[in-house]
Amino acid sequence: MLSFVFVCLSISVSGLHAAFTVTVPIPSVKVKENEGADLKCEYTADFGATPRVEWKFKDLKGSQSLIYFDNKPTAQYASRITMYSGGVRFEKVTRADTGDYDCEVSGNGGYGEKTVKLTVLVPPSKPVSRIPSSVTTGSNALLTCFDNDGSPPPTYKWYKDSTPLPDDPSKFPSFKNLTYKMNAFNGNLEFPSVSKLDIGSYFCEATNGEGAPQRGDAVQMDIRDLNVGGIVAGVIVALLAVGLLLFALWFANKKGYLPKMPESKSKTQAVYTQPRADEGDDGDGEFRQKSSFVV
């Protein structure tokens, strides 16, 4: 009896989990640029005969937009997509369509959503690289490489004198004395402290498995020694110039060529003295001064 009750409860719970279910048969879709693409989204009958279905898009930069809303495509997708039972079809995709597509279904008090990832395949273009032509010994040097067209995003490889650089130079006898750091995902090649061993012609290569790899322009990077003598000479010349200026100012002041600072003059102030209370007219009627001013 207990076993029967347990089985019934298990069926009931599993049934609750199965209700209002949204599924995507193909969660990751990859198509070439300018080809059609089907994004399928299926749902159970629990949502009712006419459920509310919406599609939302989020691109690689995080910007979001509506594709299908209120039972019709939005204005920017009206001429590009077709809705059908169980999905949405793009007539022709571009590289800007790469991103995540959310299928949201609601009805009869239930709600569910699933995501389809669309990757529009685009071969890489010629990468843009920045390579310094001259670097001082012991300084930091950063070489960059970037391709803005490839989809999926390409990985990068660097070459020195037409020889590919390994990711870890310490594992190869021919490169063990080099101290560069290479990032295959962002295209950076960094030398924390360059030496004469790093002199050479460098170029980068971008590849993503679509089309042929693309290479950037080669640039010769030269390493020059720090001119210590020139720096010391420059400091000495600067000190001599400062000393000469100070001497000229002292000499001009001694000879009186420089204008003198005006001296401050004390102002004469008048102080009023209150007359004493016992002062008054004397008996003979002569006039007396009632107050006095002291200068």
Side-chain angles (χ1 to χ4, degrees), residues 110-139:
Y111 174 83
E113 68 172 295
K114 287 292 183 179
T115 301
V116 180
K117 184 177 183 63
L118 173 63
T119 302
V120 180
L121 304 176
V122 182
S125 59
K126 180 180 178 179
V128 177
S129 57
R130 291 181 174 85
I131 305 170
S133 58
S134 180
V135 187
T136 303
T137 303
S139 64

Side-chain angles (χ1 to χ4, degrees), residues 43-49 108:
Y43 45 87
T44 58
D46 307 273
F47 293 100
N108 284 348

